[in-house]
Amino acid sequence: MTTSSSPARPRRRFVAAGVSVVLAAGALVALVPSGAASAASYPSWDDVQAAKQSQAAQSEKVSEIKGLIAQLESASAAKEKAAAAAGTAYQDAQTEYDRKALEQRKLQAQADEAAKTASASEAQAGQLAAQLGRSNAEDVTTDLLTKPSASGDLLYELGAMSKLTEQADGIYSEASQDRGTAQALADKSKVAEDALGDLADEAQAKMRAAQDAADQAQAAVAAQQANQDRLEAQLAALTSKTETTQAQYEKGVRAEKARQARLAAARAAAAAEAAKALPPAATAGVPAPATGNVPAASSGWVRPAAGYQSSPYGLRVDPYTHVYTLHAGVDLAPACYSPIYAAASGTVTFAGNGGGYGNEVILDNGGGISTAYGHIVDGGIMVSSGQHVTAGQQIAQVGSTGWSTGCHLHFETRVNGAAVDPVPFMAARGDLGMSTSTARRH
């Protein structure tokens, strides 16, 4: 596990199209491993050299190595498939929780509104009761008997009081109904709230299962990365007439590392150029994309990525599934491979395949607050589960994995597990430029 001051090395998927030999100085250079890299369960370089002494032994060793390569590829593919399935199960559980949480909030809002109506009806009924108390029917009847000359006015007053009493009875009945409605809605909201606890537990369990599957998939990919090049090199040595040496191998490795460094530099440069073309509001709170950390605002929070807000929080027709559902976060759309920063300090609770969220990182930021970062590019997760990160630390790179129609960051803010609109949430923590939007959606 790495520390917060030194981000973990980015995870990357094995690319099957990679080759085990490179052309250097016009010669075929096999990627021959050092002795330390050889595992006991795999053929050693000496085994390969010995197998070349006879055609039968050489053919047998070729078959063995091909079988080992196939096993590595099969194990890696199976683990990644299992991780994808676990990620989808986690996403489904989280989506169901979000749907039920939205329903519960609506019920509670209706209950609160009904309670206000009931209180107003009860207040009106109370006012009429007070008015009737000041002039009751017995007083009017007494006046009618003792003051016959004023009988017309008194009879009118008695009739008015009768009407007032009927009205009061009606208002009391209405207030009682309003109070019953409010209580019924409050009861429904409480039942829904209690059910949310079970749904939250289920989502958390599915998230842990997805993390375990992601870790197993990463271990299988790492095993493939660690051993397949060596096995391919051994296979090349058995089937090629070109003699290879340790020096040639090391030269080939250096050339491959240099190539990877050039690719990384080109990606960073492309992201920086894309950021320059954006108006200032699109990158408020965040410098142009570059690797490393950015300073946090005085609140301790940071805008998690550059780019326009391309889709807001709220109910919408999902552009990928075409289903009307809650979009539980906001989308920020900078260039592909642009950096993603931790919006606040916290602990990584998930880093892996999140189903429709694609490659995803979730942070527990403390105080019941969590933040989520979705659609990360393959190989772009730079932290691991359990790692502590600081606000502004680069944790990933923007991609288009999962249910995505283009490179962007899906960013969520949650309070006690419930998704809240990140725009006002972040606005309350500083002017982080989260509200800038365009018509484009992801």
Side-chain angles (χ1 to χ4, degrees), residues 229-307:
D229 281 351
R230 175 166 58 83
L231 291 170
E232 293 276 12
Q234 292 174 344
L235 189 61
L238 284 168
T239 57
S240 172
K241 294 183 179 181
T242 303
E243 290 296 327
T244 59
T245 67
Q246 186 71 24
Q248 288 175 317
Y249 160 74
E250 291 175 351
K251 183 177 180 180
V253 168
R254 287 194 299 272
E256 177 63 16
K257 286 183 177 179
R259 187 182 74 85
Q260 292 292 340
R262 288 195 298 272
L263 284 175
R267 289 172 179 172
E273 283 300 317
K276 289 179 182 178
L278 297 176
T283 54
V286 170
T291 57
N293 301 353
V294 296
S298 58
S299 64
W301 286 75
V302 170
R303 194 180 197 269

Side-chain angles (χ1 to χ4, degrees), residues 86-127:
T88 298
Y90 147 63
Q91 181 217 5
D92 288 345
Q94 185 65 69
T95 299
E96 178 65 8
Y97 171 87
D98 288 341
R99 186 177 71 84
K100 291 295 187 180
L102 187 62
E103 290 179 2
Q104 189 275 329
R105 288 198 295 269
K106 287 181 178 178
L107 276 173
Q108 189 58 56
Q110 291 171 357
D112 293 342
E113 188 62 31
K116 289 180 182 178
T117 301
S119 295
S121 297
E122 289 164 350
Q124 186 177 6
Q127 290 172 356

Side-chain angles (χ1 to χ4, degrees), residues 163-187:
K163 292 291 185 182
L164 190 62
T165 300
E166 291 177 10
Q167 184 180 3
D169 288 342
I171 291 176
Y172 268 116
S173 176
E174 184 179 343
S176 179
Q177 291 176 2
D178 289 341
R179 181 56 61 190
T181 299
Q183 188 59 53
L185 287 169
D187 290 343

Side-chain angles (χ1 to χ4, degrees), residues 12 28 42 58 107 137 148 151 154 214 219 224 257 261 263 300 305 311 343 363 376 384 393 405 441:
R12 63 185 179 91
L28 187 66
Y42 295 97
Q58 183 173 345
L107 276 173
S151 60
L154 292 171
Q224 188 178 11
K257 286 183 177 179
L263 284 175
S311 189
L363 302 181
I376 296 167
S384 57
Q393 177 179 332
T405 59
R441 291 177 175 265

Side-chain angles (χ1 to χ4, degrees), residues 50-99:
K52 295 181 71 172
Q53 301 307 311
S54 75
Q55 187 172 355
Q58 183 173 345
S59 177
E60 182 180 346
K61 189 61 66 177
V62 167
S63 296
E64 177 188 352
I65 291 175
K66 285 183 176 179
L68 289 169
I69 291 173
Q71 288 175 18
L72 283 170
E73 292 175 342
S74 177
S76 179
K79 293 296 184 183
E80 290 199 315
K81 184 177 180 180
T88 298
Y90 147 63
Q91 181 217 5
D92 288 345
Q94 185 65 69
T95 299
E96 178 65 8
Y97 171 87
D98 288 341
R99 186 177 71 84

Side-chain angles (χ1 to χ4, degrees), residues 12-29:
R12 63 185 179 91
R13 293 179 181 270
F14 178 78
V15 181
V19 294
S20 60
V21 293
V22 294
L23 291 174
L28 187 66
V29 182

